Amino acid sequence: MGEQPIFSTRAHVFQIDPNTKKNWVPTSKHAVTVSYFFDCTRNVYRIISLDGSKAIINSTITPNMTFTKTSQKFGQWADSRANTVYGLGFSSESNLAKFAEKFAEFKEAARIAKEKSQEKMELTSTPSQESAPGDLQSPLTSESINGTEEGVTPDTTQHTEPRAEPSHNALPFSHR
């Protein structure tokens, strides 16, 4: 099936000037279609816009992205993968509000999809398959990272229910 458009609107597209990081540079001469797409095979959401056959936006939505309304009809978001900031100028406040609402919705869906894929990774990679002998004795366990270690032995590290993801400051638990 591949990617399917799930919401489309029209807007003037801008990118931040890579030299000054202050001025907006128009990437479309007129309002173009800006669409949210969902790729069910990779479980990702993207914002795509074409001006003719040229892609002027190709941005994968990640859980840490934020869409900011900077005026009544203009909003922006930073895409660290593309190393740019995109700006969209809408013809009405309601079009901007709807785009921002969808951004928040798909950002949350991306967060949930990421958590589910991490849970699958944890379920498919057990310490006995990937760890060298003795790694289970390491004081750096998923429980110690989450602050729930209470005399945990290697035999009791199986999780039967989902646990909270570590904060940004915590080191990710690795079986390597």
Side-chain angles (χ1 to χ4, degrees), residues 125-146:
S125 62
T126 62
S128 60
Q129 291 172 331
E130 292 184 1
S131 295
D135 277 0
L136 290 175
Q137 302 299 329
S138 168
L140 187 60
T141 64
S142 59
E143 288 77 19
S144 66
I145 290 172
N146 289 329

Side-chain angles (χ1 to χ4, degrees), residues 1 12 16 19 62 68 96 113 115 135 137 140 143 150-151 156 162:
M1 254 237 167
H12 290 268
I16 201 77
N19 300 320
T62 63
T68 306
L96 170 59
E115 284 179 1
D135 277 0
Q137 302 299 329
L140 187 60
E143 288 77 19
E150 295 175 13
T156 61

Side-chain angles (χ1 to χ4, degrees), residues 5 33 46 50-51 63 76 79 90 92 111 116 124-127 150 153 156 174:
T33 300
R46 296 195 304 159
L50 302 176
D51 191 5
Q76 66 185 51
D79 184 336
F90 295 90
S92 71
R111 184 190 64 77
K116 284 183 179 178
T124 59
S125 62
T126 62
E150 295 175 13
T153 64
T156 61
S174 174

Side-chain angles (χ1 to χ4, degrees), residues 2-176:
E3 288 189 299
Q4 298 295 315
I6 48 181
F7 175 79
S8 294
T9 188
R10 293 186 64 81
H12 290 268
V13 178
F14 299 85
Q15 280 187 319
I16 201 77
D17 184 327
N19 300 320
T20 66
K21 301 282 186 198
K22 293 180 182 178
N23 303 324
W24 288 107
V25 177
T27 56
S28 64
K29 291 184 173 81
H30 47 80
V32 293
T33 300
V34 179
S35 301
Y36 287 100
F37 279 80
F38 177 65
D39 183 341
C40 59
T41 56
R42 295 184 327 163
N43 215 10
V44 295
Y45 293 83
R46 296 195 304 159
I47 300 170
I48 298 175
S49 182
L50 302 176
D51 191 5
S53 60
K54 180 185 173 204
I56 55 177
I57 299 176
N58 184 356
S59 181
T60 300
I61 299 173
T62 63
N64 59 341
M65 285 182 169
T66 302
F67 183 81
T68 306
K69 296 179 193 177
T70 55
S71 72
Q72 290 180 330
K73 297 180 184 178
F74 193 87
Q76 66 185 51
W77 76 97
D79 184 336
S80 58
R81 291 179 184 177
N83 196 28
T84 193
V85 178
Y86 292 104
L88 298 176
F90 295 90
S91 60
S92 71
E93 291 179 49
S94 63
N95 287 353
L96 170 59
K98 187 70 172 171
F99 187 89
E101 176 187 310
K102 291 293 183 184
F103 192 100
E105 178 184 328
F106 300 139
K107 173 183 162 176
E108 177 64 10
R111 184 190 64 77
I112 292 167
K114 182 179 178 185
E115 284 179 1
K116 284 183 179 178
S117 71
Q118 286 176 340
E119 285 173 16
K120 282 182 188 171
M121 292 295 288
E122 287 176 7
L123 292 174
T124 59
S125 62
T126 62
S128 60
Q129 291 172 331
E130 292 184 1
S131 295
D135 277 0
L136 290 175
Q137 302 299 329
S138 168
L140 187 60
T141 64
S142 59
E143 288 77 19
S144 66
I145 290 172
N146 289 329
T148 58
E149 184 170 31
E150 295 175 13
V152 175
T153 64
D155 294 339
T156 61
T157 57
Q158 294 294 327
H159 297 285
T160 55
E161 57 187 68
R163 57 185 165 77
E165 198 173 311
S167 71
H168 290 289
N169 299 345
L171 294 172
F173 181 61
S174 174
H175 293 295
R176 289 187 213 129

